Amino acid sequence: MTTSGGRTRNRRGEGGLLRDEIVAAAERILEREGDEAAITLRSVAREAGIAAPSIYAHFADRDAVIEAVLDIAFDRLRQIVIDTTTALADDDCVASLLAGCHAYVDFAMREPARYRVLFGRLREGRPDLKMPLKLEDVPPKWRARLQSFEVLVHALAACVAAGRSTSTDPFADAAMVWTALHGAVMMRQFVPGFPWPPFEESVDAVVLRICRISE
């Protein structure tokens, strides 16, 4: 059986498949339009070839669809950072730290729309985290979204253990690195005409300075 949009209707028990199709449709819209505002229930339904009311069987509202897109994007970012960082972990802890930071900014510059949705919107239910913070105390959903940052903390701690960094608080210094890298990304995206210095050199300089890396 086909829907009015010409799409073959899922058989009983294939609701998970339709949910994935809805999320994939929202991802395509975000990638194509470059703006979260383009994701509406109507546009997602049209992209997926289904009737808009069908979405409500899987998502309460538009925000729930976007949250699902966020989960996928956070997981993608996490995997990119982990794969890049661990690939060099046995060779040089500083090179591993720098590689993870470069992977982060590469993702941000390569997928600007996804990146802005990840870190540029206010979301309900965000926990009010206090310092000093232990990541294991963060609610599971939000800890999953902090895993790429957790990799950064561990990479810096490895540099401290190896005597390559004089940081006395890897968590706080990693947070400063994240802040600096985010600012560098956003400034380049929103002020592209400014004569910025080469990005790779800037990333290295920021990380080495904040993390107090010694040769």
Side-chain angles (χ1 to χ4, degrees), residues 19-185:
R19 184 185 188 282
D20 291 344
E21 291 173 358
I22 292 168
V23 176
E27 285 193 293
R28 290 194 299 272
I29 294 170
L30 180 62
E31 182 175 356
R32 184 172 63 243
E33 303 298 332
D35 187 351
E36 174 191 339
I39 301 177
T40 66
L41 293 184
R42 183 170 295 181
S43 68
V44 170
R46 183 165 54 247
E47 180 75 22
I50 61 176
S54 302
I55 296 177
Y56 288 110
H58 305 276
F59 298 97
D61 51 28
R62 170 183 177 272
D63 281 345
V65 175
I66 294 177
E67 285 293 311
V69 172
L70 283 174
D71 286 337
I72 292 174
F74 271 115
D75 187 65
R76 183 179 304 169
L77 174 60
R78 174 192 62 81
Q79 198 58 57
I80 289 171
V81 172
I82 288 176
D83 287 349
T84 306
T85 303
T86 57
L88 298 172
D90 295 333
D91 299 320
D92 186 327
C93 57
V94 173
S96 179
L97 170 66
L98 290 171
C101 292
H102 281 288
Y104 175 88
V105 297
D106 287 347
F107 172 87
M109 298 301 289
R110 188 176 61 252
E111 303 190 41
R114 283 190 177 89
Y115 183 80
R116 287 195 295 272
V117 172
L118 288 180
F119 301 114
R121 71 189 306 260
L122 296 175
R123 294 186 290 275
E124 294 183 358
R126 180 178 295 174
D128 184 15
L129 305 178
K130 304 293 185 181
M131 292 292 288
L133 175 68
K134 293 182 179 179
L135 288 173
E136 56 267 27
D137 295 333
V138 177
K141 171 183 176 180
W142 293 94
R143 184 177 180 186
R145 294 182 175 187
L146 285 173
Q147 284 184 329
S148 59
F149 172 70
E150 191 172 5
V151 172
L152 174 58
V153 175
H154 291 325
L156 176 51
C159 292
V160 173
R164 300 291 304 278
S165 167
T166 58
S167 171
T168 58
D169 190 339
F171 185 100
D173 287 338
M176 290 178 64
V177 169
W178 184 15
T179 301
L181 295 181
H182 176 74
V185 166

